Amino acid sequence: MKALWLRRCLTCSAVVLSFIYLLPVFLWTGNPSSSHDAAATAAHLWTGARAASQGKQLDSTQDSVSGRPLRGMPTEPVGIAPLPVLPHYLLTFLVIGDWGKPLDATHHVAEQMGEYAARHDAAFVVSTGDNFYMEGVGSVDDPLFRTNFEDVFKHPALHRTKWYIALGNHDQSKGTAAQVKYSQRSRRWQLPAPWYNVTHYVEGQPLLDLYVLDHYHQTAGKYDLFTVQIPWLAKQLASSKAPWKVLVDHRPVFSGGVLHGSSPRLLQKLVPILKQYRVQMVLNGDDHSLQVLEQDGITYIVSGGGSWLHEHNAILQTKFGAMQNGFTLHRLNNTHMVVDVINASGAILYTRAIPK
């Protein structure tokens, strides 16, 4: 009898405890379809509360139009490591790509870029290419320089900063000479050659080496990225004294974009050099979305949200992705770079801290 009485007491206790555990969930969700769903919801709430208490920031994975999770993106928020406390930033810059056909969204992005550039005293802007759809420009007098660039990125803070320009596939049809020559006409347009590098100094010391490639450049009718530009890049990297090394190329190494996606040949031919010389970041466009990816200690940013958009899926290297118009903001000192992904409304969608 005692054993039977004890078993009944234990059973009643379990029922009462289960009811107490699930009652807040029933009250919060209304009428969950099953106890399994309720328990899962309670577990999700506990996980979210624990992440918030640990100071973790959550990824944004929703479509800007429908509010639904993007195809292939995780449906649950993914926590990232707490940001380091940085006493000050030594250098700030912005990155935008694929802006060469201005839409209303492009103007909104440009305005927010100006606001952030002013707020953070940005030193320069990087364009990841496809500056003039659909065929580029054939002359420095082409009206597209005015309508697509000067009249769009007109915020005062964007006028006083230099723009380091990369060339994309849609910049090639009419040749790239006009875009190079425009550097002599515009103080902010910086494109001294189809591929080039620039060093940024702080207090007389090199802080950042920026290397810009022209993925689609041809010599004597043949693409020269792998035969000329990458050997040049390796030589420049070997002599770099800057603690930060960042590469710009229109074509992504890694991307979840459904139109272009990752490049196996770049993975084979370029990435070993990046790893050898400890390049920390690669900036790309080509796929019209905002993505942050990472592999083997290298962060890959796809900042192609300047005009119309492409769908994308999450891949193994994906840390964040959004089919939204926008740009990225980069702030760095001697130990860390902090990257903010920002949309056309000025909202910060995702933040990632990258150690040197």
Side-chain angles (χ1 to χ4, degrees), residues 9-23:
C9 286
L10 290 174
T11 301
C12 291
S13 298
V15 170
V16 171
L17 289 173
S18 298
F19 178 78
I20 293 172
Y21 174 70
L22 293 175
L23 179 59

Side-chain angles (χ1 to χ4, degrees), residues 144-161:
L144 290 181
F145 279 112
R146 171 64 57 185
T147 59
N148 289 23
F149 178 63
E150 302 290 356
D151 290 346
V152 177
F153 301 97
K154 57 188 179 181
H155 192 287
L158 299 180
H159 267 281
R160 64 173 179 256
T161 59

Side-chain angles (χ1 to χ4, degrees), residues 32-43:
S33 59
S34 68
S35 60
H36 173 77
D37 291 340
T41 304

